[in-house]
Amino acid sequence: MTEAEGVSFRRLAASDRATVIGLIRAYYAGEGYEFSRPNIERAIDEIVAGAGLGHLWLIERSGGVVGYLCLAAGFSLEAGGGDYFLDEIYVTPAARGVGLGTMALDYAEQQCRALGARRLSLVTERANPRTRAFYERRG
């Protein structure tokens, strides 16, 4: 089985609310981030309503949800127009190590091009060498 076989990205739907909240809770707990359910629910509601400020896709592998990818829309004079910020990529611990993070980053880049973005940017924390190394490998 190649890395891409059985992997898909599906836009968040209202029916995915509990699933994505569980994934976000797991991600934040693993990283030591504060989890505010009201904030997360508000953001999810905006995404599902199509407010246009954020996009979220569930990462599925062999029919099961194994993570998510979230992009936030922005605008930059420096970039010459619309840009996107890679807000979060999360892959469950059991699904790591097979290239899903790389596939998610590739997908984010493809979606940004399709959305007409001039730039994709991100921020990561110095205290997270694993994540920093992942993004540095991609340049």
Side-chain angles (χ1 to χ4, degrees), residues 51-137:
L53 296 174
H55 302 277
L56 196 146
W57 295 268
L58 295 176
I59 304 168
E60 297 180 321
R61 182 173 182 218
S62 302
V65 176
V66 296
Y68 67 92
L69 161 67
C70 185
L71 295 175
F75 185 88
S76 168
L77 292 172
E78 178 185 338
D83 68 350
Y84 280 85
F85 178 77
L86 178 58
D87 186 41
E88 296 178 8
I89 292 178
Y90 175 71
V91 175
T92 60
R96 293 179 187 159
V98 296
L100 294 176
T102 299
M103 285 183 234
L105 189 52
D106 289 344
Y107 189 79
E109 291 173 348
Q110 292 168 10
Q111 291 303 304
C112 286
R113 281 191 292 278
L115 292 164
R118 305 267 185 207
R119 172 175 65 191
L120 172 61
S121 59
L122 62 91
V123 174
T124 189
E125 298 177 27
R126 290 184 192 272
N128 193 334
R130 179 180 46 88
T131 302
R132 287 180 58 85
F134 168 71
Y135 290 122
E136 286 172 357
R137 282 192 303 271

Side-chain angles (χ1 to χ4, degrees), residues 10-25 35-49 56 58 65 68:
R10 181 172 55 81
R11 272 200 186 274
L12 182 72
S15 59
D16 298 316
R17 196 172 210 260
T19 299
V20 78
I21 288 172
L23 290 168
I24 294 168
R25 182 186 300 276
F35 178 84
S36 169
R37 189 175 182 108
N39 285 352
I40 298 301
E41 288 178 344
R42 226 179 349 266
I44 289 169
D45 290 346
E46 285 190 30
I47 290 169
V48 169
L56 196 146
L58 295 176
V65 176
Y68 67 92

